[in-house]
Amino acid sequence: MTFNPDLLPPPALEPGTLRLVPLGGLGEVGRNMHVLELDGRLLIIDCGVLFPEDHQPGVDLILPDFSYIEDRLDDVEAIVLTHGHEDHIGAVPYLLRMRQDIPILGSQLTLAFVEAKLREHRISPVTLAVKEGQREKLGIFDLEFLAVNHSIPDALAVFVRTSAGTVLNTGDFKMDQLPLDGRITDLRGFARLGEEGVDVFQVDSTNAEVPGFTTAEVEIGPVLDRLFAQATGRIVVASFASHVHRVQQVIDAAESHGRKVAFVGRSMVRNMGIAADMGYLRVPDGILVDPKKADDMPGEQVVYMSTGSQGEPMAALSRMASGDHKVTVGEGDLVILASSLIPGNENAVFRVINGLMRLGATVVHQGSARVHVSGHASAGELLYCYNILRPRNVMPIHGEVRHLLANGHLAMKTGIAQENVMFAENGTVVDLKDGVARVVGAVEVHNVYVDGSSIGEITDAELKDRRILSEEGFVSVFAVVDSSNGRVVSGPEVHARGLAEGDSVFDAILPEIKKAIEDAARGGSTDTHQLQQVARRVLGRFVGTKLRRRPMIVPIVIEA
């Protein structure tokens, strides 16, 4: 009932056996992606991104590792998307760069969000819109879609029927009984599938540690209404750019209190424009204003609906907190963070909160008022699902290790045998045949970093160098050596950046660096690379001993 980190590569897939390989989303919150393989054909469920944490400086996005399938893209029947959040759709453009005609299946809103992203990448996709209750046959994969409730409209679970068995993937879901759009999770459909037989239940684990039931979305409305009534200045509400339900409640509260709404942030403007055009977002006439016009309006008449609820450094809210945005926040203004904290983002979010409060704003967040409810099923809801479905095997997905373990424990409480609960991480390979699922090995998966226009070129070792630069500083040492006699004819010179001490602190070590280089050169080390390593060692020993620091040291030795 634990994870096995020492799994070997899996054996060759036997005919008639269904193989499940998660390439992202297990052991982390984000970049969800699952590959199903049967008789040489592949089906992909979700293809999302993970957002970087503080220890990954300079990284824009983290993608799933496509190397497992990159040589077999012609075998992919389709990509099935459960809903339109970035952690489930954000990596689609990067996968389609490798093969543009892979069919994409999803609900109308999900496909609209994806198509807008793909246009930015100049990709014209092949898409098929599906809805709850619909069945589609894709080669050897027979798919059925079921409505699930989440924090974005049009979310779907997908039931995959194959000759080797069945798989139900919930995507992200909860069981809100009073959803804003009246679209509840289809528990009757779940029960029907349970009667048919679910061989592997891949189930959202994000809230498995939370007891009871997730609070209904409708409970946020009265809280927003009260906060808007008390506000005397500008209001800024930050949320995910795809959280249509939350934006709807902000628009409703603004309308009730005579305020106009301005969307701030490129993704917010794009997504809400799509949602409004498709009828998922009700926008009263005249309530939306351009942010430039809102800047000139009295503070008590405007609400800014902004991105940046996770403290992203380049997002609108972070720039407001640092005074680097056209929307200024100050004394008497109200800022509402209407989203949860994604694990790993806490420090960044608190930095933004502190920055806003330093400017004089009042900041309300999930810890101080009910301005957010989760989009994920809590433990009580998961127990209901297990009892309704009675799956043969369970594979917790979507969550950190603690979430996956908590979800597995819930499954066992309902009577599912311990050996039928598979604790997997990214790359773990599970084979299903005749209703029996078992872990058979693991494939190698890595973080694939997007850094500007670079994709996959930044390694963990280079990120370590960036962390050293940011935390310990940079020191360079330069010297010129006469190749004929090994004497140092210029330098050595040492220059430091990011250290509290000035360059003069290195004066004491310069003679020792010079002597070490000359001794090495006269001893037969004519390769400048070897001489550079000598200089690095001497300087590194000095910095570590005298300054108690471990900066990046870049030695440069050239021959004259």
Side-chain angles (χ1 to χ4, degrees):
M1 201 195 70
T2 57
F3 292 88
N4 183 355
D6 302 317
L7 293 171
L8 298 174
L13 182 58
E14 296 179 1
T17 299
L18 178 66
R19 175 161 287 178
L20 297 84
V21 184
L23 298 183
L26 274 67
E28 60 195 5
V29 178
R31 65 166 180 175
N32 299 285
M33 182 175 180
H34 295 266
V35 177
L36 279 63
E37 179 179 357
L38 175 65
D39 295 338
R41 304 303 295 172
L42 305 177
L43 179 73
I44 297 171
I45 300 178
D46 289 327
C47 188
V49 296
L50 179 68
F51 293 101
E53 299 180 17
D54 287 347
H55 65 275
Q56 295 159 329
V59 174
D60 300 318
L61 299 169
I62 305 172
L63 305 179
D65 188 346
F66 300 142
S67 57
Y68 176 67
I69 61 171
E70 65 181 349
D71 295 331
R72 302 186 53 199
L73 293 177
D74 289 339
D75 298 333
V76 177
E77 294 285 0
I79 303 169
V80 178
L81 302 176
T82 58
H83 63 282
H85 279 152
E86 284 293 302
D87 60 332
H88 290 255
I89 69 170
V92 170
Y94 300 94
L95 181 57
L96 290 196
R97 287 182 182 184
M98 302 163 70
R99 178 191 156 195
Q100 293 200 12
D101 64 344
I102 301 176
I104 305 173
L105 281 72
S107 65
Q108 281 192 329
L109 182 63
T110 301
L111 291 182
F113 283 178
V114 170
E115 288 166 351
K117 294 175 68 66
L118 290 172
R119 279 195 293 273
E120 296 178 1
H121 290 258
R122 295 183 172 87
I123 295 174
S124 299
V126 177
T127 60
L128 174 63
V130 295
K131 58 185 179 181
E132 55 264 30
Q134 186 170 335
R135 286 182 69 165
E136 288 292 334
K137 191 80 180 295
L138 300 175
I140 58 177
F141 300 101
D142 183 0
L143 311 182
E144 180 176 348
F145 299 91
L146 296 92
V148 291
N149 178 250
H150 186 40
S151 55
I152 186 173
D154 249 9
L156 296 167
V158 57
F159 185 59
V160 184
R161 295 178 175 91
T162 74
S163 59
T166 60
V167 177
L168 176 59
N169 185 306
T170 64
D172 290 353
F173 85 110
K174 60 179 176 177
M175 289 162 53
D176 191 337
Q177 299 303 296
L178 299 170
L180 296 183
D181 58 3
R183 187 174 177 275
I184 63 173
T185 294
D186 186 7
L187 295 182
R188 294 175 65 185
F190 276 29
R192 174 175 52 80
L193 296 181
E195 291 295 323
E196 178 179 335
V198 176
D199 290 316
V200 177
F201 185 31
Q202 293 185 310
V203 55
D204 180 7
S205 305
T206 313
N207 266 5
E209 291 184 307
V210 180
F213 292 77
T214 301
T215 304
E217 185 81 23
V218 293
E219 295 198 18
I220 292 179
V223 178
L224 290 177
D225 190 72
R226 174 176 56 80
L227 291 171
F228 277 41
Q230 295 172 351
T232 57
R234 293 180 173 185
I235 299 175
V236 178
V237 183
S239 182
F240 293 118
S242 53
H243 202 330
V244 178
H245 294 324
R246 193 61 40 79
V247 174
Q248 183 67 71
Q249 290 183 308
V250 170
I251 289 176
D252 292 344
E255 181 185 28
S256 297
H257 294 277
R259 290 178 179 258
K260 303 293 185 182
V261 177
F263 292 142
V264 180
R266 185 170 60 91
S267 55
M268 179 71 72
V269 172
R270 180 191 67 201
N271 288 347
M272 292 310 114
I274 292 170
D277 290 344
M278 298 182 69
Y280 291 97
L281 184 70
R282 185 190 66 85
V283 181
D285 290 340
I287 198 167
L288 294 183
V289 294
D290 186 275
K292 293 179 181 178
K293 182 177 180 182
D295 293 342
D296 299 325
M297 296 172 59
E300 67 273 10
Q301 295 180 11
V302 65
V303 178
Y304 293 97
M305 189 72 228
S306 170
T307 57
S309 62
Q310 297 304 308
E312 306 96 311
M314 296 307 295
L317 192 66
S318 294
R319 292 166 57 201
M320 292 179 203
S322 62
D324 186 32
H325 197 276
K326 58 188 177 184
V327 177
T328 57
V329 175
E331 197 73 36
D333 294 337
L334 172 66
V335 179
I336 302 171
L337 272 69
S339 67
S340 61
L341 279 176
I342 293 177
N345 293 347
E346 295 89 349
N347 290 339
V349 173
F350 292 141
R351 255 196 315 271
V352 170
I353 291 174
N354 288 328
L356 293 166
M357 296 184 76
R358 188 176 291 113
L359 294 172
T362 298
V363 180
V364 176
H365 53 85
Q366 187 181 11
S368 56
R370 182 161 284 167
V371 291
H372 172 73
V373 297
S374 177
H376 303 271
S378 297
E381 294 154 88
L382 294 173
L383 289 171
Y384 264 89
C385 287
Y386 289 129
N387 286 326
I388 290 170
L389 283 164
R390 308 304 302 173
R392 294 186 179 94
N393 304 278
V394 171
M395 184 178 178
I397 61 173
H398 299 174
E400 296 181 349
V401 169
R402 58 194 174 95
H403 303 133
L404 305 178
L405 286 170
N407 200 353
H409 282 291
L410 292 173
M412 286 184 280
K413 283 183 179 180
T414 66
I416 297 171
Q418 178 176 323
E419 60 268 22
N420 294 338
V421 178
M422 290 160 292
F423 292 108
E425 294 183 278
N426 294 337
T428 301
V429 177
V430 174
D431 282 358
L432 171 67
K433 188 172 185 179
D434 299 328
V436 178
R438 58 193 180 93
V439 175
V440 297
V443 298
E444 205 171 319
V445 293
H446 301 282
N447 288 340
V448 178
Y449 301 109
V450 177
D451 180 11
S453 60
S454 163
I455 301 171
E457 297 178 18
I458 298 296
T459 66
D460 287 326
E462 286 159 337
L463 284 182
K464 181 181 178 181
D465 287 345
R466 291 183 179 185
R467 288 195 294 272
I468 292 172
L469 282 169
S470 66
E471 297 168 4
E472 300 287 346
F474 169 89
V475 180
S476 65
V477 54
F478 172 81
V480 179
V481 176
D482 187 330
S483 59
S484 63
N485 56 24
R487 294 183 59 189
V488 174
V489 295
S490 179
E493 299 176 6
V494 176
H495 300 285
R497 293 291 183 271
L499 272 68
E501 298 81 4
D503 290 349
S504 61
V505 75
F506 300 103
D507 290 347
I509 195 63
L510 294 181
E512 189 174 339
I513 296 173
K514 179 179 180 180
K515 182 177 184 301
I517 292 174
E518 290 180 341
D519 288 348
R522 290 167 184 159
S525 296
T526 57
D527 184 349
T528 56
H529 176 74
Q530 292 177 350
L531 299 179
Q532 286 172 173
Q533 297 314 305
V534 169
R536 181 201 297 272
R537 282 194 296 272
V538 175
L539 181 56
R541 187 165 54 245
F542 172 81
V543 173
T545 303
K546 300 296 184 182
L547 304 183
R548 304 291 184 185
R549 302 289 294 277
R550 297 181 62 186
M552 177 174 288
I553 298 175
V554 177
I556 303 172
V557 177
I558 61 176
E559 293 181 339

